Amino acid sequence: MVKRLYVKRMTEESMKRVERIDRVGLMRTFVRIVETGSLSAAARQLSTTQATVSRRLQSLETLLGARLLLRTTHATRLTDDGERCYQHARRVIDSWLALEDEVGQAEDEPVGVLRVRAPHAFGQEQLLKPLTDFLQRYPQLSVEWMLNDKSVDFLSDNIDCAIRVGAEVDPATVSVQLAEVPRSVVASPALLARFPKVSKPEDLQALPWIAISTFYQRHVELFDGAAQPTRIAITPRLSTDSLYVARNTTLTGLGVALVSSWTVKEDIQEGRLIHLLPEWQPTALPVHLVYPWSRYYPARLRRFLEMMKQVMPGIAGMRKPANSQ
């Protein structure tokens, strides 16, 4: 009898503690667990401990009176109740974000932290001016500006949006083309002095190359207005994923490279590099802003997208997409 009274009293105390917990916070934690796939990954993204995440999950399960997740040493999966809870929680969180934007900010001004991944080259130079202007315009907003040329996993990387150059569009995401980047085939005068004159695309095969592995490795394609491109096999002396490494090693005379035109504009003007076969154009690289699909997007993401669509085609070295109106 005493034991039953003790258990009842403890249950009542637990429920009182649960009632004081931020329910939206519990749902956010639960959604993060589901979308990252584990309690430990959710804890890392929420900047807390796994024990705290586990307690929040238990509190939500106590509130709802249902088991939401089945956990083993190897996997975590949703129960039927957990699946229903997840769908409802996503809608509640989206509605809460909309309420925060509409009520908390009279003019829909962005607040909080926007997490953006950008390519190294663009992120270090071309995009810094518009990013700085954006932050100065919205003083209550902060941006985490992360530079990485690899594909992004929005859930595990905890990223709001990514600027992608030349990447294939993922149909599971929202992808907005902002601009395109013209490219040029370049080489140093010292390198060209050691080989026969380049007068047609096929002559490029005799030259050593520097490959940018994210865009080309064993061949390049050039157009002269014909429907079909001319494909040229190349032999790289160096392969790199860095646009800057490709440009700098081309300056040393190591090889020919196909690079974004903006990176070598001054080098060509000042004679440090030669623009080879300018009448033959490589395909321009599309630039997209990519973000995960959601029922609601906070003001910080909407305003960033508006800014990027406006300024990107006018940034030095970029142009409007060929298919834009």
Side-chain angles (χ1 to χ4, degrees):
M1 181 66 176
V2 173
K3 184 177 181 180
R4 285 199 300 272
L5 289 173
Y6 173 77
V7 171
K8 180 180 180 182
R9 187 161 57 249
M10 289 297 293
T11 302
E12 290 172 349
E13 289 297 321
S14 297
M15 287 304 299
K16 287 178 182 177
R17 287 196 298 270
V18 167
E19 288 171 0
R20 293 194 294 267
I21 292 175
D22 174 7
R23 287 168 170 77
V24 174
L26 295 181
M27 286 187 284
R28 281 175 169 163
T29 299
F30 175 63
V31 166
R32 191 66 67 179
I33 293 170
V34 174
E35 294 183 345
T36 59
S38 71
L39 274 67
S40 59
R44 286 193 297 272
Q45 289 196 5
L46 294 168
S47 299
T48 188
T49 64
Q50 184 172 338
T52 298
V53 169
S54 180
R55 283 196 300 272
R56 292 175 185 173
L57 174 61
Q58 292 172 6
S59 296
L60 184 61
E61 290 179 330
T62 301
L63 260 177
L64 298 175
R67 175 66 66 86
L68 303 178
L69 288 176
L70 296 177
R71 287 177 286 166
T72 67
T73 55
H74 302 291
T76 299
R77 67 181 180 85
L78 288 168
T79 64
D80 290 342
D81 288 329
E83 179 62 40
R84 286 192 291 271
C85 178
Y86 172 72
Q87 298 300 332
H88 282 290
R90 285 292 335 167
R91 289 193 289 271
V92 169
I93 293 169
D94 289 343
S95 297
W96 181 258
L97 290 173
L99 180 63
E100 285 182 334
D101 271 351
E102 292 173 9
V103 176
Q105 299 297 323
E107 297 182 357
D108 201 24
E109 183 170 328
V111 297
V113 179
L114 180 69
R115 299 174 179 86
V116 184
R117 176 176 287 183
H120 274 280
F122 281 157
Q124 292 179 66
E125 290 194 24
Q126 305 294 82
L127 300 180
L128 287 187
K129 177 62 165 60
L131 173 65
T132 301
D133 293 343
F134 182 68
L135 286 169
Q136 290 176 340
R137 181 178 179 184
Y138 299 113
Q140 299 187 67
L141 177 69
S142 299
V143 171
E144 291 186 9
W145 191 247
M146 290 158 282
L147 303 184
N148 193 313
D149 293 300
K150 296 181 179 179
S151 60
V152 60
D153 185 327
F154 291 102
L155 297 179
S156 61
D157 295 337
N158 196 23
I159 302 295
D160 294 310
C161 63
I163 299 164
R164 303 284 289 139
V165 178
E168 294 184 1
V169 175
D170 183 353
T173 63
V174 180
S175 185
V176 179
Q177 186 167 357
L178 304 171
E180 61 183 22
V181 183
R183 296 185 292 169
S184 303
V185 179
V186 293
S188 71
L191 174 72
L192 295 177
R194 307 199 311 262
F195 291 88
K197 182 180 179 181
V198 175
S199 57
K200 58 185 185 298
E202 290 74 14
D203 295 337
L204 295 171
Q205 294 180 145
L207 302 178
W209 274 76
I210 298 163
I212 302 181
S213 55
T214 46
F215 301 126
Y216 64 93
Q217 298 184 54
R218 295 297 174 185
H219 70 270
V220 297
E221 294 184 345
L222 303 175
F223 293 81
D224 68 344
Q228 295 297 322
T230 297
R231 174 174 285 203
I232 306 300
I234 64 173
T235 303
R237 293 290 315 283
L238 172 70
S239 293
T240 177
D241 62 355
S242 169
L243 181 60
Y244 287 132
V245 170
R247 178 252 180 188
N248 291 338
T249 51
T250 302
L251 286 168
T252 69
L254 181 66
V256 184
L258 195 168
V259 296
S260 299
S261 299
W262 66 269
T263 63
V264 293
K265 181 179 179 181
E266 291 185 4
D267 296 320
I268 294 172
Q269 291 174 343
E270 297 179 13
R272 292 188 295 268
L273 292 176
I274 305 298
H275 185 183
L276 299 176
L277 304 175
E279 67 278 12
W280 288 83
Q281 292 294 314
T283 304
L285 297 176
V287 182
H288 291 90
L289 184 70
V290 184
Y291 49 93
W293 183 89
S294 178
R295 295 180 181 86
Y296 175 77
Y297 299 107
R300 55 184 175 270
L301 179 57
R302 300 198 307 271
R303 293 293 170 265
F304 185 73
L305 174 59
E306 291 169 3
M307 182 271 290
M308 294 299 293
K309 289 172 67 175
Q310 179 181 2
V311 306
M312 184 67 83
I315 291 176
M318 301 192 199
R319 67 189 185 198
K320 289 184 178 181
N323 57 0
S324 65
Q325 300 297 322

